[in-house]
Amino acid sequence: MTAVQGGETGKHGSAQVEQAILDAARDLLAIGGPDALSMRQVADQVGVSATAIYHYFDGKQDLVNRVVVRAFERFGSYLRDAMASHPEGSVERFGALGEAYLRFALENEAYFRIMFSMQASDPAALEQLPEGGGYHLLRRAVADAIDAGNVRLPTAAEFADLETPVGCESYPDLVSMYLWSTVHGLVTLALCGASTRCHVEGAPSVVDLYRAITPFIVHGIGANVGSDGVAQVTRESQ
Amino acid sequence: MTAVQGGETGKHGSAQVEQAILDAARDLLAIGGPDALSMRQVADQVGVSATAIYHYFDGKQDLVNRVVVRAFERFGSYLRDAMASHPEGSVERFGALGEAYLRFALENEAYFRIMFSMQASDPAALEQLPEGGGYHLLRRAVADAIDAGNVRLPTAAEFADLETPVGCESYPDLVSMYLWSTVHGLVTLALCGASTRCHVEGAPSVVDLYRAITPFIVHGIGANVGSDGVAQVTRESQ
DNA sequence: ACCGTAGGTTAACGGTGTTAGGTTAACAAC
DNA sequence: GTTGTTAACCTAACACCGTTAACCTACGGT
């Protein structure tokens, strides 16, 4: 029972079966949600017995982890496309990244749910996500915008009264977390049905809601946006 | 199979057993997480057989719903305390509400997970939450702050280019969703381990991170905060 | 005395993840 | 050519799970 853990993936003879299992797991997840993903259902779809899966994966959690890694790869393509469609250092990139985030969540709902489910997913699996799971893309866009002077950060005085004061080198991470939190919160609230408690006239979609909230988000970072009708906003230096 | 649905809760004779079941479910959930909450475990803890639970609840989902309602009541007490500790119309209330939100999530993690899990929880159960699940508290605080002139909303021009333009009467809801999304996103990202990908020096706690991000959030709504060392920020009228 | 019903019980069904142990086919070594 | 090894499966089974069916018991009303 040495458990077939030779390090490299696909080392075992028929990597096709392994891929077929991952495909079946993805399909079941997308169609029926997390509850529909069972070892026996996956096995039935592939055409093997349930225990055969254990020759390729260390159990259901390992299978799910591998599906999550796949999901993050797909997720990354959404974000990269958004990045590529707007110039480096521009604030418009943030909006595009946010909309890509939303679009991925809505078009790949089951993926999104297991990617960011609050279940205690073993950190070991999450740490080796492809390129950090897209966070580095956001951080780069933020750092570029700061370098380009399109983001007016709060003065150091505003951070001075924190118990654990932060230095300027943390600003890109703080801004990234601010932006990430906002869009992530919006979409997770929508996916758990909580945002129905907010009654904006016309009962807008999540994307509409995001666009309506965008001015607040943009103002939060004192963004200096371009000349496409979006308000030009600066912050008083003091 | 009339199924004991006589309308009022607690109509059945021994309401103590019903409460004991809810207590046991809460405890199991808090200790072992969602997976530890099984009908048989609850029954064992109460000292009855598993099927006895079906005399008080319509199934596991109904039991979970009732636990969620209890959790939202507890949640509401956190928020009300935060509201009571700051004057009406003040912007400081937002920060206190946010910190109460965080504190509840961290001190009642299992509760928070099932309250806002992205699983498709039947909307019928969520609609009749106690007082809308706390959203009305946030909305009232926002509306008060707007009335008090402590929130400088974006100009109508900034909302004009939306596909579904919003009117002024939606501003309190928009601001509420903005604030809610930000803090909810931050805590959910923390609870799923995603925020470990953000590297701020000192590896601050979620609360530290929230406080560090607060300036961005506050600036987002052009808040006019008081004289306690927090930066005084206004937005240019144009 | 009778009936209905609240409040349980045990047994069972079909499902789940997982393990144990056996089987087959390929392949390498002597 | 036989042997040994191992990958790649299989079936059977275990211990759970939510849920249902059928049955029992005690009590309150007529």
Side-chain angles (χ1 to χ4, degrees), chain A residues 3 19 25 29 33 37 41 50 52 57-58 61 68 73 79 83 114 129 135 145 152 162 177 186 188 199 211 219:
Chain A
Q19 291 302 312
L29 206 58
L37 177 60
Q41 296 250 18
F57 302 91
D58 281 344
Q61 187 57 58
V68 166
E73 288 166 356
L79 298 188
M83 293 271 285
I114 59 165
L129 282 180
Y135 176 75
R152 299 283 144 70
L162 295 177
M177 281 307 292
L186 192 66
T188 51
H199 300 292
R211 289 183 179 151
H219 283 141

Short mmCIF file of all heavy atoms in Angstrom, two decimals, chain A residues 3 19 25 29 33 37 41 50 52 57-58 61 68 73 79 83 114 129 135 145 152 162 177 186 188 199 211 219:
data_model
loop_
_atom_site.label_atom_id
_atom_site.label_comp_id
_atom_site.label_asym_id
_atom_site.label_seq_id
_atom_site.Cartn_x
_atom_site.Cartn_y
_atom_site.Cartn_z
N ALA A 3 0.79 3.51 -1.98
CA ALA A 3 -0.14 4.63 -2.22
C ALA A 3 0.20 5.50 -3.40
O ALA A 3 -0.27 6.63 -3.51
CB ALA A 3 -0.24 5.51 -0.98
N GLN A 19 -7.44 12.17 -16.07
CA GLN A 19 -8.09 13.36 -16.62
C GLN A 19 -9.60 13.16 -16.74
O GLN A 19 -10.38 14.07 -16.49
CB GLN A 19 -7.49 13.69 -17.99
CG GLN A 19 -6.06 14.19 -17.92
CD GLN A 19 -5.90 15.42 -17.04
OE1 GLN A 19 -6.65 16.39 -17.17
NE2 GLN A 19 -4.94 15.38 -16.12
N ALA A 25 -15.63 14.93 -12.45
CA ALA A 25 -15.84 15.67 -11.20
C ALA A 25 -16.26 17.10 -11.50
O ALA A 25 -17.18 17.64 -10.89
CB ALA A 25 -14.57 15.65 -10.36
N LEU A 29 -19.95 18.64 -10.60
CA LEU A 29 -19.96 19.82 -9.76
C LEU A 29 -20.74 20.95 -10.43
O LEU A 29 -21.56 21.62 -9.79
CB LEU A 29 -18.53 20.25 -9.50
CG LEU A 29 -18.23 21.03 -8.23
CD1 LEU A 29 -18.65 20.25 -7.02
CD2 LEU A 29 -16.76 21.36 -8.18
N GLY A 33 -23.92 20.80 -8.33
CA GLY A 33 -23.40 21.42 -7.12
C GLY A 33 -22.55 20.46 -6.31
O GLY A 33 -22.36 19.30 -6.69
N LEU A 37 -21.29 15.76 -6.20
CA LEU A 37 -19.95 15.23 -6.46
C LEU A 37 -19.65 14.11 -5.47
O LEU A 37 -19.21 14.36 -4.35
CB LEU A 37 -18.91 16.35 -6.32
CG LEU A 37 -17.46 15.94 -6.49
CD1 LEU A 37 -17.22 15.34 -7.85
CD2 LEU A 37 -16.54 17.12 -6.27
N GLN A 41 -20.58 8.48 -8.18
CA GLN A 41 -21.10 9.15 -9.38
C GLN A 41 -19.98 9.43 -10.37
O GLN A 41 -20.13 9.24 -11.57
CB GLN A 41 -21.79 10.45 -8.98
CG GLN A 41 -23.03 10.25 -8.12
CD GLN A 41 -24.32 10.60 -8.85
OE1 GLN A 41 -24.33 10.66 -10.09
NE2 GLN A 41 -25.37 10.78 -8.09
N ALA A 50 -15.81 2.75 -8.06
CA ALA A 50 -15.48 3.90 -7.21
C ALA A 50 -14.08 3.78 -6.63
O ALA A 50 -13.35 4.78 -6.52
CB ALA A 50 -16.51 4.01 -6.09
N ALA A 52 -11.52 2.61 -7.87
CA ALA A 52 -10.44 2.86 -8.84
C ALA A 52 -9.91 4.28 -8.70
O ALA A 52 -8.73 4.55 -8.97
CB ALA A 52 -10.94 2.62 -10.26
N PHE A 57 -6.05 9.30 -6.79
CA PHE A 57 -6.19 10.38 -5.81
C PHE A 57 -6.18 9.80 -4.40
O PHE A 57 -6.54 8.63 -4.21
CB PHE A 57 -7.48 11.16 -6.06
CG PHE A 57 -7.57 11.74 -7.44
CD1 PHE A 57 -8.17 11.02 -8.47
CD2 PHE A 57 -7.04 13.00 -7.71
CE1 PHE A 57 -8.24 11.55 -9.75
CE2 PHE A 57 -7.12 13.52 -8.99
CZ PHE A 57 -7.71 12.80 -10.01
N ASP A 58 -5.78 10.60 -3.47
CA ASP A 58 -5.67 10.14 -2.08
C ASP A 58 -7.00 10.16 -1.34
O ASP A 58 -7.02 9.99 -0.13
CB ASP A 58 -4.66 11.00 -1.32
CG ASP A 58 -3.23 10.60 -1.65
OD1 ASP A 58 -3.06 9.49 -2.19
OD2 ASP A 58 -2.31 11.38 -1.38
N GLN A 61 -11.07 14.49 -0.78
CA GLN A 61 -10.52 15.82 -0.57
C GLN A 61 -9.43 16.13 -1.58
O GLN A 61 -9.36 17.24 -2.11
CB GLN A 61 -9.98 15.95 0.86
CG GLN A 61 -9.55 17.35 1.23
CD GLN A 61 -10.69 18.35 1.07
OE1 GLN A 61 -11.74 18.20 1.68
NE2 GLN A 61 -10.50 19.36 0.23
N VAL A 68 -10.08 22.15 -7.76
CA VAL A 68 -9.94 23.56 -7.38
C VAL A 68 -8.74 24.18 -8.10
O VAL A 68 -8.83 25.33 -8.57
CB VAL A 68 -9.81 23.70 -5.85
CG1 VAL A 68 -9.34 25.09 -5.47
CG2 VAL A 68 -11.14 23.41 -5.18
N GLU A 73 -6.96 27.90 -12.43
CA GLU A 73 -6.32 28.17 -13.72
C GLU A 73 -7.30 28.88 -14.65
O GLU A 73 -6.95 29.85 -15.31
CB GLU A 73 -5.83 26.85 -14.33
CG GLU A 73 -4.62 26.28 -13.62
CD GLU A 73 -4.35 24.83 -13.99
OE1 GLU A 73 -5.16 24.26 -14.75
OE2 GLU A 73 -3.35 24.27 -13.51
N LEU A 79 -8.95 36.75 -15.47
CA LEU A 79 -8.28 37.95 -14.97
C LEU A 79 -7.24 38.45 -15.97
O LEU A 79 -7.10 39.66 -16.19
CB LEU A 79 -7.62 37.65 -13.62
CG LEU A 79 -8.56 37.25 -12.48
CD1 LEU A 79 -7.80 37.17 -11.17
CD2 LEU A 79 -9.73 38.21 -12.35
N MET A 83 -6.89 42.10 -17.68
CA MET A 83 -5.66 42.90 -17.59
C MET A 83 -5.21 43.33 -18.98
O MET A 83 -4.80 44.48 -19.19
CB MET A 83 -4.56 42.07 -16.94
CG MET A 83 -4.79 41.73 -15.49
SD MET A 83 -4.16 42.96 -14.35
CE MET A 83 -2.39 42.65 -14.44
N ILE A 114 -16.66 26.21 -4.60
CA ILE A 114 -15.68 25.35 -3.92
C ILE A 114 -14.32 26.04 -3.81
O ILE A 114 -13.56 25.78 -2.90
CB ILE A 114 -15.52 23.98 -4.61
CG1 ILE A 114 -15.05 24.14 -6.06
CG2 ILE A 114 -16.78 23.19 -4.54
CD1 ILE A 114 -14.54 22.84 -6.63
N LEU A 129 -1.20 26.96 -5.22
CA LEU A 129 -2.10 27.29 -6.32
C LEU A 129 -1.31 27.90 -7.48
O LEU A 129 -0.24 28.46 -7.27
CB LEU A 129 -3.17 28.28 -5.85
CG LEU A 129 -4.30 27.68 -5.04
CD1 LEU A 129 -5.28 28.76 -4.65
CD2 LEU A 129 -5.01 26.61 -5.83
N TYR A 135 -4.04 36.49 -7.18
CA TYR A 135 -3.82 37.67 -6.35
C TYR A 135 -2.67 38.52 -6.89
O TYR A 135 -2.74 39.76 -6.84
CB TYR A 135 -3.54 37.27 -4.91
CG TYR A 135 -3.21 38.42 -4.00
CD1 TYR A 135 -4.19 39.30 -3.57
CD2 TYR A 135 -1.90 38.66 -3.60
CE1 TYR A 135 -3.89 40.37 -2.76
CE2 TYR A 135 -1.58 39.74 -2.79
CZ TYR A 135 -2.58 40.59 -2.37
OH TYR A 135 -2.28 41.65 -1.56
N ALA A 145 -0.55 51.11 -10.94
CA ALA A 145 -1.36 52.33 -10.87
C ALA A 145 -0.78 53.30 -9.85
O ALA A 145 -0.81 54.52 -10.05
CB ALA A 145 -2.81 51.97 -10.52
N ARG A 152 -4.23 58.05 -5.35
CA ARG A 152 -3.86 58.96 -4.26
C ARG A 152 -4.09 58.25 -2.94
O ARG A 152 -5.24 58.15 -2.49
CB ARG A 152 -4.69 60.24 -4.31
CG ARG A 152 -4.53 61.03 -5.57
CD ARG A 152 -3.21 61.83 -5.60
NE ARG A 152 -2.67 61.87 -6.96
CZ ARG A 152 -3.22 62.56 -7.95
NH1 ARG A 152 -4.28 63.28 -7.75
NH2 ARG A 152 -2.68 62.53 -9.15
N LEU A 162 -3.04 53.32 14.00
CA LEU A 162 -3.28 51.89 14.06
C LEU A 162 -2.39 51.27 15.13
O LEU A 162 -1.30 51.76 15.41
CB LEU A 162 -2.97 51.24 12.70
CG LEU A 162 -3.87 51.66 11.54
CD1 LEU A 162 -3.40 51.00 10.27
CD2 LEU A 162 -5.31 51.30 11.84
N MET A 177 -6.17 44.23 -1.12
CA MET A 177 -7.14 43.58 -0.25
C MET A 177 -8.44 44.37 -0.19
O MET A 177 -9.53 43.79 -0.13
CB MET A 177 -6.56 43.41 1.15
CG MET A 177 -5.60 42.25 1.29
SD MET A 177 -6.28 40.67 0.72
CE MET A 177 -7.56 40.39 1.94
N LEU A 186 -19.27 41.34 -2.45
CA LEU A 186 -20.48 41.55 -3.23
C LEU A 186 -20.96 40.25 -3.88
O LEU A 186 -22.15 39.91 -3.81
CB LEU A 186 -20.23 42.61 -4.30
CG LEU A 186 -21.47 43.14 -5.00
CD1 LEU A 186 -22.34 43.90 -4.03
CD2 LEU A 186 -21.08 44.03 -6.18
N THR A 188 -20.14 37.08 -3.09
CA THR A 188 -20.52 36.03 -2.14
C THR A 188 -21.86 36.34 -1.48
O THR A 188 -22.67 35.44 -1.25
CB THR A 188 -19.45 35.86 -1.05
OG1 THR A 188 -19.12 37.11 -0.49
CG2 THR A 188 -18.21 35.21 -1.62
N HIS A 199 -32.71 46.62 -1.27
CA HIS A 199 -33.73 46.90 -2.27
C HIS A 199 -33.40 48.18 -3.04
O HIS A 199 -33.78 49.27 -2.64
CB HIS A 199 -35.10 47.02 -1.60
CG HIS A 199 -35.50 45.78 -0.89
ND1 HIS A 199 -35.79 44.59 -1.55
CD2 HIS A 199 -35.62 45.50 0.42
CE1 HIS A 199 -36.10 43.66 -0.67
NE2 HIS A 199 -35.99 44.18 0.53
N ARG A 211 -21.55 47.89 -10.65
CA ARG A 211 -21.27 49.14 -11.37
C ARG A 211 -21.78 50.34 -10.60
O ARG A 211 -21.18 51.41 -10.64
CB ARG A 211 -21.91 49.08 -12.76
CG ARG A 211 -21.20 48.10 -13.66
CD ARG A 211 -21.77 48.06 -15.07
NE ARG A 211 -21.02 47.10 -15.88
CZ ARG A 211 -21.53 46.43 -16.90
NH1 ARG A 211 -22.80 46.60 -17.23
NH2 ARG A 211 -20.78 45.60 -17.59
N HIS A 219 -13.52 55.99 -5.41
CA HIS A 219 -13.22 57.11 -4.52
C HIS A 219 -12.39 56.67 -3.33
O HIS A 219 -11.60 57.43 -2.79
CB HIS A 219 -14.51 57.77 -4.04
CG HIS A 219 -15.15 58.63 -5.07
ND1 HIS A 219 -16.51 58.69 -5.24
CD2 HIS A 219 -14.61 59.45 -5.99
CE1 HIS A 219 -16.78 59.52 -6.23
NE2 HIS A 219 -15.65 59.99 -6.70
#
